[in-house]
Amino acid sequence: MPAPASSPSRDGLGPYLAHPHNSHVFASSTTELNPPPSPRTQRTIRKLQSAHNLGAAARFGNAPSLIAQQRLHNLQDRPPSPSRQPSNRSPQRHRANSDARPPQLSASIYGTPGPSSRRPGLKPTSTAANEMSLERLIRDGPPAGDVDGALESARLKVLDQGIKSDSDGMSSTRIYVWLILLDAPIVKTDDYIQLIHRGPSPAYSKIRNDTFRTLTTNPLFHRRVSEASLIRLLNAIAWMLHDAKDKSRPSSSRQSVGPSSAFQTSLDDISQIAVTSSPSASRGRSRALTATTDGSETNASEPGTYVQGMNVLAAPFLYAARSEVEAFVAFHRLLTKECPGYIRGAMDGVHRGLALVDKVLAIVDPKLSLYLTSKGLSAEIYAFPSVLTLCACTPPLPEVLRLWDFLFAYGPHLNVLCIVAQLIIMRNDLLGSPSPNKLLRPFPALQADPIKRTALAIIKMIPDDVYAEITTHAL
């Protein structure tokens, strides 16, 4: 099975592996500001000031948009680019960007279907794009309409130079690069608000049991992201997953979960949705607790549901995004297109990923693999959170963001190799410890650059059939 559309395989890494210092890059995108709907109060006006549309096709005179050029070039339909939407974040969030006027961007480009999962080979890039910075390509779009070449250059730019950010991991371009690489569609702010207004989802009680424990030791995250924001995002995602699952069932067995009156609030009160304590909200939570167990038995063909750990997986999106809607569309795209197997049924995709961690480690470092096995340590024991959350469970958060830049550029499936890379990096400590489980609970602090370099070396060491398993294990 070929790799997902936004997850190119080893072929796309060829230029980097062959010429590690000559890779220039990038893909990109366009936006034009769209004024938000007319609000009723000055407070709402401030809250919605950042409304804009990443990917709305820019028009230069009568020239066709980049999206139109891409469609004509590929002879296939592509959705428009992801949207930058107004922020609904809590006002206590420190350093939030949602009230800042965004830069003028041009129209967005998207990933094209990835190549077959063979060993690395050279792929064409755009010479003009190679000479441009990532930020300029985000602003101006691919030169000469060369979408495919610019996108490949973008991936190599992310791999070779990374995305510019400060010491806290904050970047004005990161979320837009992620949305482009994930091939995220447009989601209107009103659609997100409607999901919130539907009230507690069937998974609401699970969400409330998880959110307060999200990255509890990470002050950077909690200064910027409120628990209320995380609850709203996860509840909206849970509704989307519930609806998809409900549509897949026969009409006679579908369940209807109506909205809760406690959540039918005005736009001005959205920030208080998740923390309301009214009796009707309590009844909604009680009803959601009962509904959470409905349909817990799923099969591999059904869409996924909310699972414990999704709160940690959602956290970096909220931290990096300028609005909840941006985080929502990127997170939903990741779950439903890149790793649906992680949240479907008994999380079979996660267990396949864990088995692959063991398999790859046995190939690249038999001695370490045998030693861990002799201590009763398999990936199921020490790597489950790292597989499920794409290493987001391991601090520091700025390093997680840098690692995710790499994963979204070349496929979240490469997280399996990144976990093995962490084991290789701490190899001497593990082999010298009589109790290696203490070193693996939790993993040492994440270091994105050494992990990426080691993962790239591992790619060249594993057989094609094993790599093919890695590219499809999360689907």
Side-chain angles (χ1 to χ4, degrees):
M1 177 184 298
S6 60
S7 304
S9 65
R10 285 185 291 186
D11 290 339
L13 293 170
Y16 182 82
L17 297 176
H19 304 286
H21 302 294
N22 292 334
S23 46
H24 291 284
V25 229
F26 189 48
S28 214
S29 107
T30 55
T31 358
E32 50 186 326
L33 299 179
N34 291 330
S38 216
R40 296 180 181 178
T41 67
Q42 285 298 321
R43 178 169 174 262
T44 306
I45 291 175
R46 288 195 306 272
K47 188 178 295 183
L48 299 183
Q49 193 113 33
S50 66
H52 53 287
N53 229 349
L54 178 64
R59 295 292 190 268
F60 300 94
N62 295 322
S65 70
L66 293 177
I67 293 298
Q69 295 176 40
Q70 182 188 17
R71 286 174 174 168
L72 181 61
H73 176 70
N74 292 335
L75 298 178
Q76 62 180 10
D77 288 335
R78 283 279 180 192
S81 68
S83 60
R84 290 172 64 185
Q85 300 290 354
S87 172
N88 295 326
R89 292 179 174 172
S90 168
Q92 70 190 56
R93 187 174 294 178
H94 196 259
R95 299 186 61 215
N97 298 331
S98 57
D99 291 334
R101 189 171 181 83
Q104 184 75 18
L105 304 175
S106 55
S108 171
I109 68 170
Y110 292 90
T112 52
S116 60
S117 55
R118 299 184 62 82
R119 290 197 174 276
L122 293 175
K123 291 191 64 185
T125 60
S126 170
T127 302
N130 290 345
E131 298 173 354
M132 299 170 66
S133 68
L134 183 59
E135 292 74 18
R136 183 182 171 192
L137 280 162
I138 290 274
R139 182 182 69 247
D140 298 341
D146 184 5
V147 174
D148 293 339
L151 181 57
E152 188 59 30
S153 293
R155 290 183 171 120
L156 290 171
K157 177 73 79 177
V158 170
L159 178 62
D160 188 40
Q161 300 178 7
I163 297 174
K164 293 181 180 179
S165 59
D166 62 21
S167 59
D168 291 342
M170 299 310 302
S171 167
S172 60
T173 59
R174 172 170 279 121
I175 186 60
Y176 308 117
V177 175
W178 285 6
L179 290 168
I180 291 166
L181 294 174
L182 289 169
D183 196 12
I186 285 177
V187 171
K188 296 180 180 178
T189 303
D190 287 347
D191 294 340
Y192 178 69
I193 293 174
Q194 287 176 7
L195 289 170
I196 295 173
H197 283 178
R198 290 175 66 178
S201 69
Y204 185 71
S205 63
K206 289 184 179 181
I207 292 170
R208 292 305 301 267
N209 286 335
D210 287 344
T211 51
F212 72 94
R213 296 178 290 189
T214 304
L215 305 185
T216 53
T217 61
N218 196 313
L220 287 177
F221 176 75
H222 290 284
R223 282 204 302 263
R224 180 171 173 80
V225 181
S226 69
E227 184 184 1
S229 179
L230 185 59
I231 290 171
R232 287 194 294 270
L233 173 67
L234 292 173
N235 194 67
I237 289 289
W239 271 125
M240 293 287 285
L241 297 176
H242 172 272
D243 291 348
K245 186 175 181 180
D246 195 48
K247 289 178 182 178
S248 70
R249 296 173 177 169
S251 57
S252 60
S253 63
R254 292 179 186 174
Q255 299 178 2
S256 175
V257 181
S260 168
S261 60
F263 283 73
Q264 300 298 324
T265 63
S266 68
L267 187 59
D268 285 341
D269 296 328
I270 282 182
S271 63
Q272 301 300 322
I273 286 178
V275 293
T276 181
S277 58
S278 67
S280 56
S282 299
R283 289 194 298 272
R285 283 194 281 272
S286 176
R287 177 174 54 78
L289 180 62
T290 303
T292 300
T293 59
D294 293 339
S296 59
E297 296 297 327
T298 60
N299 59 55
S301 64
E302 289 186 335
T305 57
Y306 179 86
V307 298
Q308 188 175 22
M310 278 173 55
N311 55 313
V312 178
L313 192 58
F317 287 110
L318 281 171
Y319 185 82
R322 295 170 64 99
S323 72
E324 285 182 21
V325 183
E326 290 174 340
F328 167 79
V329 65
F331 184 39
H332 184 263
R333 185 72 176 185
L334 175 72
L335 292 177
T336 57
K337 299 300 181 182
E338 297 291 346
C339 51
Y342 283 10
I343 61 171
R344 185 174 57 228
M347 295 189 288
D348 291 338
V350 176
H351 294 290
R352 287 193 295 269
L354 292 166
L356 285 166
V357 170
D358 287 330
K359 180 182 289 190
V360 172
L361 182 62
I363 293 171
V364 301
D365 196 336
K367 182 178 179 179
L368 179 57
S369 176
L370 289 172
Y371 182 70
L372 294 180
T373 302
S374 71
K375 297 296 183 179
L377 292 176
S378 66
E380 288 274 357
I381 295 174
Y382 62 80
F384 190 95
S386 296
V387 172
L388 175 62
T389 67
L390 303 182
C391 291
C393 59
T394 305
L397 185 54
E399 292 296 306
V400 172
L401 301 180
R402 295 184 183 102
L403 184 63
W404 277 26
D405 296 341
F406 167 64
L407 294 180
F408 294 159
Y410 287 95
H413 58 271
L414 291 180
N415 181 54
V416 168
L417 302 184
C418 291
I419 295 171
V420 176
Q422 292 175 75
L423 298 174
I424 300 299
I425 291 171
M426 57 189 302
R427 180 179 192 273
N428 292 337
D429 293 334
L430 291 172
L431 291 175
S433 172
S435 301
N437 58 308
K438 293 181 180 179
L439 300 177
L440 295 173
R441 192 182 65 240
F443 273 52
L446 206 66
Q447 300 178 58
D449 288 339
I451 290 172
K452 288 188 291 184
R453 287 195 298 266
T454 307
L456 290 171
I458 292 173
I459 288 178
K460 296 185 289 186
M461 300 170 65
I462 58 178
D464 285 348
D465 60 336
V466 175
Y467 189 81
E469 288 183 58
I470 293 172
T471 61
T472 59
H473 81 275
L475 300 181

